[in-house]
Amino acid sequence: MTEGITGITSRIAAIQADLSSLSTRFGSTTVAGTSFAQALAAQLGSASTSTSTTTTTTSTTAAAAVDSTRNADGIPTALAAYGNGKIPADALQQVGTTSHRLWAPAASALTQLIADAKAQGVTIGITDSYRSYASQVDVAARKGLYSEGGLAAVPGTSDHGWGMAADLDLDSSAQAWMRANAGRYGFVEDTPREPWHWAYTN
Ligand SMILES: [Zn+2]
């Protein structure tokens, strides 16, 4: 055992000697490496500075950009120019940490609604939110037009195309919770035969 440790100790000494000779031979590389490390640190420092600047700018912009007004047709003013189902993702806002996006005021309201429901032991999932024009065409083809007994709006007219409605995954207690509380968050169950469809009306 002692001999083993002695053997290891001498091997470590030999390795250290090798490393020492390597760092002597590649002294200039080490200097260059140090310079690189310094340059990297400088870059990281400036990147971190610019990131925080960007973050500040973004949050300022976001705070200033939230426009909760609607035009005479009830369409979000900030989105009207894009057209129903033609809104770029970055003009919409993510709902919590989900993959779903809605008009910013609706996204904020639904995020809060889901969090408050969760705090009360009620789970509310999202099955659909903003729906592109192509998706509206697809849904209409699969589910039929509402006016003909189906479940889809005429493509280009759906509230989903403005990010103003969400289809929710609700069990019976969540459905009851929504009916009792959603109005306080601006959401209404406005479509007969679609208890999962909640439109944002604030
Ligand atoms: Zn819907």
Side-chain angles (χ1 to χ4, degrees):
M1 192 61 169
T2 307
E3 283 173 5
I5 289 168
T6 307
I8 288 165
T9 305
S10 65
R11 273 194 56 73
I12 288 172
I15 290 166
Q16 283 171 337
D18 285 349
L19 286 174
S20 164
S21 106
L22 278 172
S23 75
T24 303
R25 276 192 285 154
F26 296 102
S28 58
T29 307
T30 306
V31 172
T34 304
S35 300
F36 175 75
Q38 284 166 344
L40 181 63
Q43 284 297 315
L44 288 174
S46 67
S48 138
T49 305
S50 73
T51 300
S52 59
T53 305
T54 305
T55 304
T56 307
T57 306
T58 303
S59 57
T60 306
T61 305
V66 173
D67 177 356
S68 59
T69 63
R70 297 179 188 242
N71 66 19
D73 297 321
I75 305 304
T77 311
L79 306 179
Y82 293 115
N84 186 302
K86 296 172 181 172
I87 305 169
D90 64 7
L92 297 167
Q93 183 179 306
Q94 185 179 13
V95 180
T97 56
T98 70
S99 60
H100 293 278
R101 303 183 87 82
L102 290 172
W103 176 39
S108 295
L110 185 55
T111 300
Q112 189 64 54
L113 179 156
I114 290 171
D116 291 351
K118 185 180 180 185
Q120 294 169 39
V122 175
T123 301
I124 292 172
I126 305 173
T127 54
D128 208 358
S129 47
Y130 167 72
R131 197 176 285 158
S132 70
Y133 184 83
S135 297
Q136 293 177 49
V137 170
D138 177 60
V139 171
R142 286 189 291 108
K143 300 188 175 175
L145 293 179
Y146 195 87
S147 58
E148 298 171 359
L151 293 172
V154 173
T157 69
S158 172
D159 276 355
H160 287 286
W162 292 116
M164 297 192 299
D167 291 342
L168 304 178
D169 183 12
L170 306 167
D171 62 16
S172 60
S173 67
Q175 188 79 48
W177 189 96
M178 285 296 292
R179 286 172 175 161
N181 298 285
R184 291 192 285 113
Y185 300 84
F187 284 92
V188 298
E189 183 183 0
D190 70 345
T191 308
R193 294 193 279 119
E194 295 190 11
W196 57 84
H197 179 96
W198 292 81
Y200 183 70
T201 56
N202 278 12

